[in-house]
Amino acid sequence: ATVAPGTDVSFPQDGPTSGSAITRIGPSSFNLAAIGTYQILFQVSVSEAGQLILTNNGSDLAYTVVGRATGTSQIVGMALVTTTSVNSILTVRNPAGNSTALTITPLAGGTRSVSAHLVITQIG
């Protein structure tokens, strides 16, 4: 999959879930039903140098930008996000203005498929 600048990373499969405060509303967007603080952890294997950022209701959260200047390792990020309205929408995005589309790399580093992960935990 290719993620153009200004578009969101897809996480197409559900993993284990608990409760109903966090739900998927599409392949790349997640509803945070309650006002509160959430710990967000994500990892994505890409072929290019690049950056990823979290968004809340379509707005970039500048303090969450993570990136890699060279190589083909995973881009990994972790941040706390506090919502101020019910039903906030969270995404992981290739920031607008970046010059490169990112290529999700399913066979990073070996012969076994790797996956992109997004873990959202409500902590307050």
Side-chain angles (χ1 to χ4, degrees):
T2 301
V3 182
T7 61
D8 299 323
V9 176
S10 289
F11 297 91
Q13 296 180 358
D14 287 334
T17 62
S18 175
S20 60
I22 303 164
T23 55
R24 168 190 300 282
I25 57 173
S28 59
S29 55
F30 299 84
N31 185 62
L32 309 178
I35 295 172
T37 300
Y38 297 82
Q39 180 180 354
I40 314 298
L41 170 66
F42 62 89
Q43 65 174 33
V44 182
S45 293
V46 297
S47 298
E48 303 80 14
Q51 296 180 329
L52 293 171
I53 189 170
L54 294 174
T55 71
N56 183 19
N57 294 327
S59 296
D60 290 352
L61 300 175
Y63 67 93
T64 68
V65 175
V66 293
R68 183 186 72 232
T70 62
T72 56
S73 62
Q74 295 179 331
I75 297 177
V76 178
M78 183 174 73
L80 295 177
V81 172
T82 300
T83 61
T84 57
S85 61
V86 296
N87 297 319
S88 294
I89 307 303
L90 180 88
T91 68
V92 178
R93 180 171 292 167
N94 180 0
N98 281 359
S99 61
T100 304
L102 300 176
T103 306
I104 307 293
T105 309
L107 296 176
T111 59
R112 294 186 181 223
S113 294
V114 298
S115 62
H117 283 78
L118 173 64
V119 178
I120 305 170
T121 306
Q122 185 177 8
I123 59 172

